[in-house]
């Protein structure tokens, strides 16, 4: 398809030509925004170069946003969680400075692990998803899964002779987020398969886990003491450990809301 080139186009014809060119060149953001940017350029008396820069940056920004949205969707997070919505005042065990340092994703760049340890309702999953989302927004490939779901998938893959392919798939992502590790006991076979995934990623790609059990209680999940010690070693070497405490701020928040109507009466 060749677009006609003519001087002295009317504004209507120019708009139609721009629309056609943007469709042909697959520039949806410029197609949607060029009229507003052109009006602003006239008002601000931009140079031609300035106007062109505005158009191209609008397209680049929108493409970056769409890529970020695709990476977040591909991560498989069960819900939206962000650092902005986390109430640090409600849980003084979690240091905001430490979390915002982690949000820079330097630890992912270095392939280091992260462990979030604490009771239910203390913000582990929120923090896990929020940091995973930050990583996806910064261009890293992220995958979220529940520990039991991951193990079940590995067991099925082993039965179907697809284990190596499955482990390789989990090995390729830059950050693997494993939630609810420690909630259920794993048999030796399941624990060994999980260990293979962690070994595949060791010192190459990061793993972040959330667990309601301290490391000393992991023998209830990984019943083989030697295997348990090896898994703890994989998840802590050169890593960051954040203890979110035992006081559920989620429960405290629910109680506070329940007490408000009573006080109003």
């Amino acid at each position: 398809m060749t677009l006609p080139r003519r001087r002295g186009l009317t504004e209507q014809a120019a708009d139609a030509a721009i629309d056609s060119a943007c469709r042909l060149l697959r520039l949806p953001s410029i197609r949607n925004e060029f009229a507003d940017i052109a009006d602003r350029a006239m008002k601000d008396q931009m140079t031609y170069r300035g106007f062109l820069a505005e158009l191209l940056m609008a397209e680049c920004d929108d493409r970056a946003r769409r890529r970020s949205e695709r990476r977040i969707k591909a991560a498989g997070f069960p819900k939206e969680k962000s650092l902005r919505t986390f109430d640090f005042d409600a849980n003084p065990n979690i240091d905001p400075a430490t979390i915002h340092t982690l949000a820079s994703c330097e630890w992912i760049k270095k392939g280091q692990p992260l462990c979030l340890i604490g009771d239910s309702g203390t913000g582990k999953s929120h923090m896990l998803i929020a940091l995973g989302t930050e990583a996806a927004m910064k261009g890293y490939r992220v995958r979220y899964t529940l520990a039991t779901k991951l193990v079940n998938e590995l067991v099925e893959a082993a039965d179907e002779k697809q284990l190596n392919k499955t482990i390789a798939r989990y090995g390729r992502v830059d950050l693997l987020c494993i939630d609810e590790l420690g909630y259920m006991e794993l048999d030796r076979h399941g624990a060994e398969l999980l260990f293979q995934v962690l070994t595949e990623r060791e010192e190459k790609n990061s793993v972040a886990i959330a667990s309601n059990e301290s490391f000393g209680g992991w023998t209830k999940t990984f019943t083989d003491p030697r295997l348990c010690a090896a898994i703890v070693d994989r998840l802590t070497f050169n890593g960051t450990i954040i203890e979110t405490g035992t006081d559920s701020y989620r429960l405290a928040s629910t109680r506070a809301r329940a007490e408000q109507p009573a006080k109003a009466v």
Side-chain angles (χ1 to χ4, degrees):
M1 176 181 178
T2 303
L3 297 174
R5 298 181 183 180
R6 294 182 181 176
R7 296 181 181 276
L9 291 175
T10 64
E11 285 203 3
Q12 185 175 8
D15 286 352
I18 292 170
D19 187 87
S20 296
C22 287
R23 290 178 186 275
L24 181 64
L25 297 172
R26 298 181 181 178
L27 302 171
S29 302
I30 290 179
R31 182 168 63 85
N32 292 331
E33 298 183 37
F34 79 87
D36 290 338
I37 295 175
D39 290 342
R40 191 164 65 247
M42 291 181 63
K43 181 181 178 181
D44 297 343
Q45 297 184 322
M46 287 184 191
T47 64
Y48 291 129
R49 284 187 175 87
F51 174 51
L52 179 59
E54 285 285 325
L55 284 175
L56 295 176
M57 289 308 298
E59 186 68 41
C60 290
D61 290 345
D62 196 49
R63 288 190 179 190
R65 178 187 60 78
R66 293 197 302 270
R67 284 195 298 270
S68 177
E69 289 174 351
R70 287 195 296 270
R71 285 191 297 268
I72 291 171
K73 184 177 181 180
F77 298 120
K79 59 191 75 173
E80 288 187 17
K81 295 291 183 181
S82 69
L83 296 182
R84 180 177 51 81
T85 60
F86 188 81
D87 187 357
F88 287 98
D89 292 334
N91 190 345
N93 293 300
I94 301 177
D95 177 32
T98 299
I99 298 303
H100 288 117
T101 297
L102 290 170
S104 71
C105 297
E106 192 65 23
W107 59 286
I108 300 174
K109 185 178 179 180
K110 296 176 180 177
Q112 296 172 340
L114 168 66
C115 297
L116 299 158
I117 310 293
D119 283 3
S120 296
T122 57
K124 302 185 306 300
S125 291
H126 186 139
M127 200 59 60
L128 185 69
I129 295 171
L131 289 171
T133 301
E134 288 289 329
M137 291 171 63
K138 286 181 171 60
Y140 292 99
R141 294 167 298 175
V142 182
R143 179 67 181 168
Y144 169 96
T145 184
L146 298 176
T148 50
K149 183 179 179 181
L150 173 58
V151 170
N152 288 337
E153 184 179 349
L154 293 170
V155 170
E156 290 177 9
D159 292 342
E160 296 170 4
K161 305 294 190 288
Q162 297 292 315
L163 182 61
N164 289 339
K165 186 182 294 185
T166 302
I167 289 176
R169 188 174 74 249
Y170 278 106
R172 282 193 295 269
V173 297
D174 301 304
L175 173 62
L176 176 60
C177 300
I178 305 177
D179 206 353
E180 296 187 1
L181 185 64
Y183 277 77
M184 294 182 66
E185 178 182 321
L186 301 177
D187 62 26
R188 183 180 177 84
H189 181 51
E192 287 174 345
L193 293 176
L194 178 58
F195 179 68
Q196 286 186 50
V197 171
L198 299 179
T199 301
E200 175 73 16
R201 302 181 59 81
E202 187 181 13
E203 296 188 56
K204 294 186 295 185
N205 294 315
S206 292
V207 176
I209 65 100
S211 175
N212 66 323
E213 282 282 357
S214 63
F215 295 121
W218 279 24
T219 50
K220 289 183 287 186
T221 300
F222 307 104
T223 52
D224 183 320
R226 294 179 63 184
L227 184 59
C228 180
I231 288 174
V232 171
D233 180 67
R234 294 290 189 280
L235 290 173
T236 56
F237 182 69
N238 281 337
T240 301
I241 301 171
I242 296 176
E243 296 183 357
T244 60
T246 58
D247 297 327
S248 171
Y249 76 82
R250 190 165 57 207
L251 178 59
S253 178
T254 302
R255 285 174 175 167
R257 287 197 301 271
E259 290 172 359
Q260 285 176 354
K263 290 180 179 179
V265 174

